C-alpha cells in the first residue's frame, strides 16, 4: 500500500502521533495552515468521504470527538476552531485517504469558497 496516510497510521513512516486508538489516528499536518493544524484519519483506508459506506458513517462522529479532544489538548477548545473534510477534486482533496482537518489558534477566514 503506497498511501502516505496508511503508512503514517501503521507507523511505517515515523512521525508525531498525537492520538490513536483501534480505529483512528491523529497527527500534525506537515504544512500547517494555522497554529493548530491536526489531521484525524481512520486507520482503515477509505479513499474519501464519498467512498464511506452508510454502515461506516459513525466514524465521522468519532473523528469529530477526537478533534474535540485535540482542540482541548492544544488549548483552543474555548476559543473556537474549524473542522474540514475535503472530498474529491473540486473539493480540494489532495491525499486520497479520508481525513478531517482541525484548524485553530488564529482567527480563521470567514469565506469558505
Ligand atoms: P487535503 O487537501 O484535504 O487532501 O489535505 C491534505 C493535507 O495533508 C494537507 O494539508 C497536507 O499539508 C497534508 N500532508 C500531506 N502529506 C503529509 C504528511 N506526510 N504528513 C502530514 N501531513 C501531510
Ligand atoms: Zn490510505
Amino acid at each position: 500500500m503506497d498511501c502516505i496516510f496508511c503508512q503514517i497510521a501503521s507507523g511505517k513512516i515515523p512521525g508525531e502521533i498525537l492520538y490513536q486508538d483501534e480505529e483512528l489516528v491523529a497527527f500534525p499536518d506537515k504544512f500547517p495552515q494555522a497554529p493548530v493544524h491536526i489531521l484525524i484519519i481512520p486507520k482503515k483506508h477509505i479513499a474519501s468521504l464519498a467512498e464511506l459506506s452508510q454502515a461506516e458513517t459513525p466514524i465521522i462522529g468519532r473523528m469529530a470527538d477526537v478533534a474535540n479532544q485535540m482542540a482541548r489538548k492544544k488549548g483552543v477548545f474555548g476559543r473556537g476552531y474549524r473542522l474540514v473534510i475535503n472530498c474529491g477534486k473540486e473539493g480540494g482533496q489532495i491525499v486520497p485517504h479520508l481525513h478531517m482537518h482541525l484548524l485553530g489558534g488564529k482567527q480563521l477566514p470567514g469565506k469558505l469558497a
Side-chain angles (χ1 to χ4, degrees):
M1 170 60 73
D2 61 0
C3 170
I4 185 86
F5 284 2
C6 280
Q7 290 178 357
I8 291 171
S10 67
K12 283 188 189 120
I13 292 181
E16 190 186 356
I17 299 294
L18 297 167
Y19 174 91
Q20 69 172 315
D21 60 30
E22 62 289 337
E23 204 172 30
L24 302 178
V25 178
F27 54 91
D29 195 289
K30 193 174 180 179
F31 304 102
Q33 292 174 44
V36 175
H37 190 172
I38 293 170
L39 299 174
I40 300 105
I41 69 168
K43 284 183 173 172
K44 178 181 178 187
H45 182 83
I46 298 167
S48 78
L49 188 65
E51 300 293 319
L52 197 66
S53 71
Q54 272 193 327
E56 289 170 325
T57 54
I59 206 167
I60 300 297
R62 291 221 52 240
M63 290 163 76
D65 181 53
V66 171
N68 280 344
Q69 291 179 46
M70 294 299 101
R72 283 189 192 278
K73 185 171 172 176
K74 296 295 178 182
V76 299
F77 189 78
R79 295 173 59 183
Y81 46 96
R82 180 173 295 170
L83 306 183
V84 175
I85 298 176
N86 296 322
C87 179
K89 185 174 178 294
E90 291 194 359
Q93 184 180 4
I94 304 294
V95 177
H97 180 128
L98 175 63
H99 51 282
M100 179 181 280
H101 298 255
L102 164 64
L103 295 152
K106 71 172 187 182
Q107 182 62 54
L108 295 165
K111 290 192 176 174
L112 288 176

